[in-house]
Every structure is written in C-alpha cells, then in structure tokens.
Amino acid sequence: MTVSKTPSDALLAELNEAQQQAVRHGDSPLLIVAGAGTGKTTTLAHRVAWQILQGTSPRRILLLTFSRRAAAEMLRRVDDILQAVGKTSRESANVFGGTFHSVALRLLRRYGEVLGLGAEFTILDRGDAEDLMNVVRTDLNLSDGKRRFPLKGTCLAIYSRCVNRSAPLKTVLTEDFPTHLSHEANLGRLFTAYTERKESHVVLDYDDLLVFWLALLENPQGAEVVRGLFDRVHVDEYQDTNVLQSQILKRLVPDGTGLTVVGDDSQSIYSFRAATVRNILDFPEDFPDSSIVTLEQNYRSTQPILDATNRVITESTEWHAKKLWSERTHGVRPQVIRCADEESQSSFVIEQVLNAREEGVRLQDQAVLFRSSYHSAGLELELTRRNVPYRKYGGLKFIESAHVKDLLAYLRLAENPRDIVAGTRVLCLLPGIGNARAGRLMESLRDANGSFAAWREFKAPASTRGQWEPFVKLLDELSSGPLLESSVATQVERVRTFYKPLLEDAHDHAAVRMRDLEQLEILAARYADRASFLAEVTLDPPSSTAELGDPAAPDEDDWLVLSTIHSAKGLEWDSVFVLQAIEGSIPSEMATGSPEQIEEERRLFYVALTRGKNNLFVCHPQRIMGQRNQFFAPSFSRLTPFVSDEVRSTFDEIVYSPEGHTDAAPKPESSQSVRSRLNSLWGEN
Ligand code: ATP
Ligand code: MG
C-alpha cells in the first residue's frame, strides 16, 4: 500500500536534514548562516512556501532581498515549489517583496503622513543627491577652492556613511575619512543645510528612505500600523545589511517572532555602503531567543572547484571555519589561463564560450565576471564584432546616462514642482539659462505654489525665446493639464518630442541616445502611474537597454552574461570566467588602503569563484595597457595575489595563444628538482 505524501512532506523531501529543520522551524527568530551554494536562498524559498502551505497569508509575509531581480527570482522559486506539490494558484504574487529601499518607499507612500511626509515626495538618485549637496556647499561658501574642502561626491559619501552606520560625524571621519577630519565643523553645517534643503524641496535621497522607515517605526502610531502588517519577515544576504537596516528589523519585530535571516559572512562585499557582518554575528544577542542553522553541503559546484574556493577563503584573516563539500566529486579542475594581453583574453573567452555552446551549453549558462565595469570594454567590442549577443549587468546604469536623466527630470519636476534638482536640470538645458536664473525661476515657482503658469511672465533670453512657451505649456500640462491624465508612456513621448532638439544640441551620438529614450517609453508603458514609474526606475534601475528587452534584436533568445562581481551575488552559471584577475584589478587599486579593504576584495574574488558550477576560468592577461604619465603604454601584470602558491596548487595552468593552441603551462620547477638535475650532472640521483 502506498501512503500518499502530504504537500508539506513533498516540499520537504527535496531538502537535506539541516535545510528541513530550517524550513520547519517555528516562530522564534532564526539565523541560517552558511557558505556559498549550500542552499540558503533555496531554503528560504522553501520556508516561504511552507508557511503559505501552513496557512500564513502571502500578504502577511515580508521578503527582503538585495535587488528587485533577486526578489522576483525568489518568488518564482516559491511558485515552482508550490506547483510541484500540487498548489497551482500564483500565491506568491501577494508576498510583500523587494529591497529594503523599495519596501521603505511603498510603506512611506502609504503611511508617511504620520511623519508629516506628503505623498508627493520624489526621490533623488546618488547623482542628484551629489548635485544638491554641491548647491548647498556653494551657498555656504565652502567651495572656494582655498580650503580644499572635500568634493561633492566625498561629502555625500561621508554623509551617507554617518547615516547608514548611525554613527556621529567625528567617528566616521576618524575611522573612515581621516584626511578630512579638519573639516568636521563645516561638514556638520553642510549636512544640516543639506537636510533642511531636502525637506523644503520635498525630496528624499536613498538613505532617507531607510531613515524615514526607521522613524515611522519609532513613532508609536506608525509602529503599530506597520508592525501589524506582517507575521513573517525574511531577509536574504543579511551579511550585506548595515546598522540602519538592522535597527529597522529590531523595531519591526522587536522580539524576533517570525523573523528569519540568511547570510554568509565570507561573502560580505558591501562595506563601502556601510554594511557590516556584525549584523550576522550579533544576531543571537539582538534576538536572544534565536536558533542558528548551519549548512555545509554545497550543491552548486564540483569538488575540484570547491577545493580552490575553500583554499581562497581559508587565507582570509577573518576566516570562520566553514569548509564546503560536494557529492559531485568528479569534474575538471579550475584553470588559470595565461593570455598574452587583453585581446588574447577576449579571444580565449569567446572561443571557449562558443565551443561550449556547440556542445549544448547555452550562452545564458555562461558568465564573464569582472571587478569594474570598464574591464569588459575590450571583450564587448569583440563580442559585437563577432556577433555574439550579450547582456551586461552592473556598472553604469542606463538610467544614469545624461539624456535619460534629462528626460526623467521633466517628469520629476511635474510630479514635484519643488524638486530643485530636477528643475535646475531642465531649466539649464535651455540656451541662455544658467544656475542663477534657474534658481530665481524655482523660487518664483515655489511662491506660486507650484503653478507653472507663474513662468509665463518670465522674459526669456533671446536665445531661448522660441522654446520658452512650449516648455511652460508642456510642464503645465504634465502637472495639472490633460497630460496628467494620460498614460505614463504618452507623457514620456511628449517630453521626448520637446527634448529632441535640445538633446541634439547638448550631446553627441544623438541618434543612439534617442533610441534609449524610445526604450524608456516602452518601459514606462508597464507602469500604471507616473509616481511609481519614477520611483522604481530610480530605486532599482534596469542596468541596460538590453534588460528592457531590446526590440532591435527580436530573434535574440540566448545571450552571454557579462556582470560585475557585485551584481553576480547569489547567482550561478555552468561556466564562469573571471576577467582580468591581476594585481590592480583584483584587488582593485582603489581598494587597497587598509587590511580590511583587502580582505573585502578577497571575499569579492571568493564570491566570483563560487558562482561556477562545472567550469571555472581565471584569466590572466600578462600585458595590459596602463596609463603612465599622460601616455598609454603596455606594462606587465601579475596574477592576483589571491591566487597564492597554495591556491595555485588547486588550479591547472594553461597558456593560451589565439591561433587555437592551448598548452599546459610548464610547471614551475621546485628548487629540489633543480638540485636533482644538477646532481645528475655528477652522476648522483
Ligand atoms: P549563495 O551563497 O551563492 O547565495 P545559496 O546558499 O543561497 O548560495 P542556493 O542558490 O540556494 O545557495 O543553492 C545553490 C544551488 O544548489 C542551486 O542550484 C540549488 O537549486 C541547489 N540546491 C540547494 N539545496 C539543494 C538540495 N537539498 N538538493 C539539491 N540541490 C540543492
Ligand atoms: Mg543565495
């Protein structure tokens, strides 16, 4: 007689014992801490599915991930799991999921009123926030050049570090920015003025989203409402959260009931955003009644790959014993590929990728990872030349390009006429209008309570006279006229038409840029209202037009993945190529200032290597072009120090030459073998 399994049993059957224990764990706080590829995210997805099966309403589950892509992927897994056990309705669609920032935004739009925050606020991205910081810095006369006051980007970085660490300015300056310690008083003035300016212009920067979420939870009325929303709270990649985020969690679920966090201290790679592994280490103290589950079996990579990655992380000074093992004991050893130069590196990658495709491995199952976005420039050129489709993730976002920001600024100004950054941007696009005039115009707009009609009386300079009236009409219609009622795509289209001649004047490659703007219109069509469109593209922007589904390449159904290592977090591919694994690139020469930074670079390298399931290639171009004085000249490069001699013993070494020959590199001779060779000269052996 066969006993039919219940859906809950069937769900558990796919998991190992430790994973099952985590899935079935009751309501007390739970920490799953485990190495790469041990099924942390899988376990979390099963736990969400399990809770839904046990009767928790998906609406009452909050799932916090590090990107929108990760949240969508996790919810897709939850659906697959539920489907596999016979539940077919798409219940996961109702789970409240996203990044800390996007969840904060949704909550603040709904409940921000408690804090006096109107629903019309707009969000500044990092670039906008820097611009606003610059305006304030100039107003306070801090940018006269004589006192070497930090530049706008540094000011914002210091400010952001204080906020995300919840640490006083003095501490942050002493520990993280000691060269700017002498500016403490003026930085304090600057930050106060910056905060006031944001408030008066009804704009929030990224950090404010977290700050206001925490404030909402510190407000008795807000806390009651928001805490009442969720029975279960799950956080993936907990090692990359910061102090502010852990404070939010503590306020959201003070005793930790229903809280599950998942992470790996060996993969913490976001300290530059003030993330701290302390959040993982302190979890048992923060939530006294908590349980810890650890996982050690790796299901992703073959044992030869794990031999290499275990070795890399063992050399970390902050190593907490965690040796991963796999049942897949067979497999090829990872390879260090010695190429003559970057060109040869590109040839190697492309040849290898195409050969694998011939053997049935899709391009999408192969990924090329790099430390900095520009490391892939040569490869991208070559891929384009050889017609190999690819998609690139991370690095400079499509949305950060000047023309896309220009277009969005019109919509943002219409949405929030007090948004000074957006206003200044669109006004200065008009010939003859500079910062001073723009500032006065924004003031008059504020005095008129945001009615663009106020600008009609403005005597525009001769050079812009023809455009002034259509400009004011456009904004008027977008903010209160007929266009406000039209679809977001129509609004984008109208702005694009107005902006086209200005774009042609202001930027090169106008035709290519116009195509981006058409893409933006396609993206806009997915949104029901303008405010959510603007917020989403600012918070979690698509990295490239390719990610939007480029209609220029309709047949393309497979593509090679190019990604920064940071954006590859949590993902896996059949084959992984680590590009330009040389000193200066990994670790990045920008991040070798302190032992902690170097350790973080090592973990980053570890994250890259642990993405590979079956094949792992670490590429070493032996000559690279570098800048020397004002000239670009080739120089010799050294393999990344993270591949030490010990680590190297877990790799095979291949010398690649583009003609199609790959030779095993001659093994470095040990001094012993040299001696024995000598000995053979006089007959001893
Ligand atoms: P990372 O540290 O990179 O985020 P992770 O610990 O979250 O990794 P997952 O991405 O959940 O690991 O899982 C890695 C791979 O192992 C996935 O392909 C997943 O399907 C598989 N896997 C996880 N658990 C099991 C299991 N019990 N049986 C078979 N495969 C599993
Ligand atoms: Mg994961």
Side-chain angles (χ1 to χ4, degrees), residues 14 19 36-42 267 299-300 570 572 611:
E14 301 176 357
Q19 292 173 329
T38 52
K40 295 181 299 297
T41 304
T42 306
Q267 294 186 69
Y299 291 93
R300 176 178 296 148
E572 60 188 21
R611 303 305 98 201

Side-chain angles (χ1 to χ4, degrees), residues 43-178:
T43 304
L44 202 55
H46 279 78
R47 185 154 162 77
V48 171
W50 165 271
Q51 291 174 341
I52 293 174
L53 275 184
Q54 301 291 306
T56 306
S57 158
R59 283 176 209 288
R60 301 191 57 79
I61 298 178
L62 173 64
L63 176 62
L64 292 160
T65 57
F66 65 96
S67 71
R68 179 174 39 187
R69 195 149 59 112
E73 170 61 20
M74 179 102 89
L75 293 177
R76 195 189 55 74
R77 285 204 209 179
V78 171
D79 269 332
D80 288 350
I81 297 164
L82 288 174
Q83 235 174 29
V85 300
K87 290 257 168 188
T88 46
S89 58
R90 287 201 64 248
E91 305 218 39
S92 78
N94 293 319
V95 169
F96 208 103
T99 60
F100 272 84
H101 290 85
S102 74
V103 168
L105 173 71
R106 274 187 278 166
L107 293 174
L108 290 171
R109 288 251 190 259
R110 260 197 244 167
Y111 309 110
E113 234 183 319
V114 175
L115 304 170
L117 200 61
E120 80 280 15
F121 65 84
T122 42
I123 297 162
L124 302 179
D125 68 18
R126 294 260 175 227
D128 300 328
E130 280 181 13
D131 290 347
L132 184 61
M133 188 69 88
N134 205 31
V135 170
V136 181
R137 187 168 158 271
T138 311
D139 288 354
L140 293 179
N141 276 327
L142 293 171
S143 51
D144 59 10
K146 279 186 228 119
R147 9 174 172 204
R148 312 178 112 240
F149 198 71
L151 297 173
K152 61 180 182 178
T154 313
C155 292
L156 187 71
I158 299 171
Y159 169 85
S160 182
R161 190 66 65 97
C162 293
V163 174
N164 285 294
R165 278 186 60 181
S166 289
L169 177 57
K170 193 176 198 77
T171 313
V172 167
L173 286 175
T174 311
E175 291 175 10
D176 302 334
F177 300 89

Side-chain angles (χ1 to χ4, degrees), residues 343-483:
E343 252 173 61
S344 150
Q345 173 181 252
S346 299
S347 303
F348 167 75
V349 171
I350 296 174
E351 267 176 35
Q352 189 67 38
V353 160
L354 294 180
N355 285 343
R357 183 170 66 174
E358 287 301 303
E359 285 163 22
V361 185
R362 292 184 312 171
L363 296 177
Q364 278 170 68
D365 295 328
Q366 308 186 53
V368 184
L369 308 182
F370 31 86
R371 172 69 181 89
S372 303
S373 183
Y374 65 86
H375 291 161
S376 67
L379 177 65
E380 288 179 60
L381 272 178
E382 197 54 23
L383 286 167
T384 309
R385 200 180 66 77
R386 298 206 206 172
N387 256 331
V388 181
Y390 68 89
R391 291 190 182 184
K392 183 169 172 179
Y393 300 91
L396 185 71
K397 305 265 162 64
F398 153 71
I399 228 81
E400 286 159 8
S401 49
H403 51 297
V404 176
K405 292 194 69 161
D406 286 348
L407 190 140
L408 291 174
Y410 290 91
L411 300 180
R412 277 183 27 210
L413 180 61
E415 188 66 25
N416 173 8
R418 282 193 276 178
D419 186 333
I420 182 137
V421 180
T424 309
R425 186 169 190 115
V426 296
L427 284 164
C428 290
L429 280 171
L430 294 166
I433 297 190
N435 275 326
R437 275 201 171 112
R440 285 198 298 276
L441 281 161
M442 288 306 289
E443 267 171 39
S444 71
L445 185 62
R446 196 187 54 203
D447 295 344
N449 263 333
S451 162
F452 289 96
W455 282 357
R456 289 220 181 90
E457 288 120 56
F458 172 65
K459 266 202 137 5
S463 47
T464 201
R465 206 152 286 161
Q467 279 145 318
W468 185 252
E469 203 195 305
F471 170 70
V472 177
K473 183 163 179 279
L474 174 71
L475 282 164
D476 202 21
E477 290 188 359
L478 282 169
S479 73
S480 54
L483 271 176

Side-chain angles (χ1 to χ4, degrees), residues 4 26 110 157 177 207 209 236-237 241 244 251 273 306 325 339 365 417 420 461 473 504 544 557 573 595 654:
S4 65
R110 260 197 244 167
F177 300 89
D207 301 330
L209 290 167
D236 197 6
E237 307 276 359
T241 54
L244 193 52
R251 290 274 173 179
R273 286 203 204 141
L306 291 177
W325 59 275
C339 319
D365 295 328
I420 182 137
K473 183 163 179 279
E504 284 162 353
S544 65
D557 56 359
W573 293 275
I654 302 287

